[in-house]
Amino acid sequence: MAEVGRGSEQAFAELYELVSPRVFGLALRILRNRAMAEEAAQEALLDVWRQAPRFDAARGSALSWVLTMAHRRAVDHVRAAQSSTDRESKAAALMTPDVPFDEAAETTLIRAEGEQVRRCLTRLTELQRQSITLAYYSGLSYPQVAAELAVALPTIKARMRDGLIRLRDCLGAR
């Protein structure tokens, strides 16, 4: 281990040959997935190479130190996999409605809301209605609406703001 700590590739190759089967076996017992165990074992042995100067023989054997690093790396993989599963479950729960979808009811609701919006639009001034219609139904920007109606941009912005406030009040949205 001391030679590995000094950067000896030959010493690390020998250590690798001695401990890699046990490192892989430990990772496989923890992860129960061959590909993940191979990855965890590789990462653990890379950690051994990088951290070899930190090894202290007074605190335990080289094998126990290497296996401790392998165990930690395998547990990290388990935690990462669990975290990923939890995130996917939460995302799926957010996307799955609790109430069954009723297409007819949804269509009826959309039509009723559309009728209410059209009714509220008739209560706006002509400039407010034209401005909002061009911006929200035709997809024009404020400068494009101003050019289309031949009105100054600040006037369009003010009329749209006032019109949207009146629409909000008419629709009952607060």
Side-chain angles (χ1 to χ4, degrees), residues 101-118:
F101 180 71
D102 183 350
E103 190 174 341
E106 184 72 17
T107 302
T108 303
L109 182 62
I110 290 170
R111 284 186 184 149
E113 288 173 348
E115 300 253 343
Q116 187 176 5
V117 169
R118 282 188 287 283

Side-chain angles (χ1 to χ4, degrees), residues 22-96:
R22 292 187 70 181
V23 167
F24 174 72
L26 175 63
L28 186 58
R29 265 195 317 275
I30 293 169
L31 294 166
R32 297 187 187 124
N33 177 300
R34 188 169 190 81
M36 288 177 69
E38 289 171 355
E39 186 176 334
Q42 280 291 74
E43 291 172 3
L45 289 166
L46 184 60
D47 288 343
V48 168
W49 170 253
R50 289 179 181 156
Q51 296 180 29
R54 295 182 184 172
F55 171 70
D56 182 6
R59 296 181 68 196
S61 72
L63 181 61
S64 64
W65 184 73
V66 170
L67 292 176
T68 298
M69 294 180 81
H71 182 270
R72 288 180 184 155
R73 188 55 77 162
V75 169
D76 287 346
H77 276 262
V78 169
R79 289 180 180 146
Q82 184 60 49
S83 178
S84 176
T85 301
D86 291 347
R87 277 191 308 277
E88 290 171 4
S89 296
K90 287 179 184 177
L94 291 174
M95 296 187 73
T96 306

Side-chain angles (χ1 to χ4, degrees), residues 117 121 124 128-142 145 156-157 159-161 163-165 167:
V117 169
L121 278 170
L124 302 178
Q128 289 172 339
R129 183 175 37 260
Q130 287 176 330
S131 300
I132 290 172
T133 301
L134 287 171
Y136 289 93
Y137 290 103
S138 298
L140 300 181
S141 66
Y142 283 22
V145 171
I156 291 298
K157 288 181 178 180
R159 295 307 173 265
M160 286 186 65
R161 184 195 66 234
L164 290 171
I165 290 169
L167 277 176

